[in-house]
Amino acid sequence: MNIPQLQIQTTRGILGLQIDKPVQEIEQPKATIHQEQPAAILEMSTTSSQLSIDTTEARADIDLKSPLRRGDENAQYGMQTILEGIARRAQEGQQLMQIENGGNPIADIAKQNTNPPPAPLGIRFVGNRTKIQMSFQPGTLNINATPQKPVFDVQVNKPIHTYTTGKVSGVMEQYPSIQIDWKV
């Protein structure tokens, strides 16, 4: 037996979206700046330094002496030589007084006077730098600086802003449909 049949076929609908994106543009122009820095006021004052050098002793080492000093040294040398001569004569007198002890003191004294000790070599280094006396008084420097304030002129520029709105619209990509079929 044939049973009648009902056949239904459907197609679903597909909805699509068409989107136009929004566009936003922002531009920020740089600020306009005018800047000026006046020079500072500078005042300076100084006192000079003083250096004194005393080379008297160093010059005396190389035999460049003043007449007064040379006279004092010669007088001292003469006094020392006289005292050494008196001491030598006193010693020789003591030796002659002991003639009774035997021996020949006159010959001994003659030997002492005829063979003096060898003279020292005449080499010596002159000009000792450590004998130079120096004194230094430093100078002073006074500096007075008065700063000046800077001058600023700033002009702020507004940003440039453009905006285009976006759109969203629905579009049917596939329409729905129903097909009904009857079969016997």
Side-chain angles (χ1 to χ4, degrees):
M1 152 162 158
N2 280 344
I3 300 176
Q5 291 184 348
L6 181 66
Q7 287 185 342
I8 301 173
Q9 186 177 7
T10 63
T11 306
R12 66 183 181 128
I14 299 175
L15 179 64
L17 298 176
Q18 182 176 355
I19 301 172
D20 293 334
K21 293 186 177 180
V23 177
Q24 175 173 276
E25 295 176 356
I26 300 174
E27 182 181 342
Q28 177 65 58
K30 291 183 180 179
T32 307
I33 300 174
H34 176 71
Q35 176 181 346
E36 186 178 328
Q37 175 66 57
I41 299 169
L42 185 64
E43 298 171 352
M44 291 192 290
S45 64
T46 61
T47 58
S48 60
S49 56
Q50 292 183 354
L51 172 67
S52 64
I53 301 174
D54 184 8
T55 60
T56 306
E57 293 302 317
R59 290 171 58 86
D61 275 356
I62 57 174
D63 204 30
L64 295 173
K65 302 174 186 173
S66 69
L68 292 176
R69 183 167 179 172
R70 193 173 296 278
D72 288 344
E73 287 179 0
N74 286 339
Q76 242 179 355
Y77 177 72
M79 183 63 81
Q80 183 182 352
T81 306
I82 288 172
L83 292 176
E84 287 174 2
I86 291 171
R88 189 170 49 89
R89 301 283 188 294
Q91 182 185 8
E92 289 173 1
Q94 291 293 327
Q95 287 176 335
L96 287 175
M97 282 186 358
Q98 297 174 359
I99 199 166
E100 69 270 356
N101 292 340
N104 190 359
I106 297 173
D108 290 340
I109 293 170
K111 274 186 196 177
Q112 289 173 4
N113 291 336
T114 55
N115 291 327
L121 291 176
I123 299 173
R124 68 181 181 125
F125 295 101
V126 294
N128 189 352
R129 292 185 313 202
T130 60
K131 291 185 177 180
I132 296 175
Q133 297 175 358
M134 286 193 261
S135 68
F136 178 71
Q137 184 178 1
T140 60
L141 173 63
N142 295 323
I143 300 175
N144 184 16
T146 306
Q148 301 295 316
K149 292 185 178 182
V151 177
F152 289 104
D153 181 19
V154 179
Q155 182 179 4
V156 179
N157 295 321
K158 292 183 179 180
I160 300 170
H161 181 242
T162 57
Y163 179 74
T164 305
T165 58
K167 292 182 183 178
V168 176
S169 56
V171 176
M172 288 301 292
E173 292 180 359
Q174 181 177 341
Y175 288 97
S177 66
I178 297 178
Q179 291 179 355
I180 300 173
D181 207 13
W182 177 266
K183 284 187 179 178
V184 181

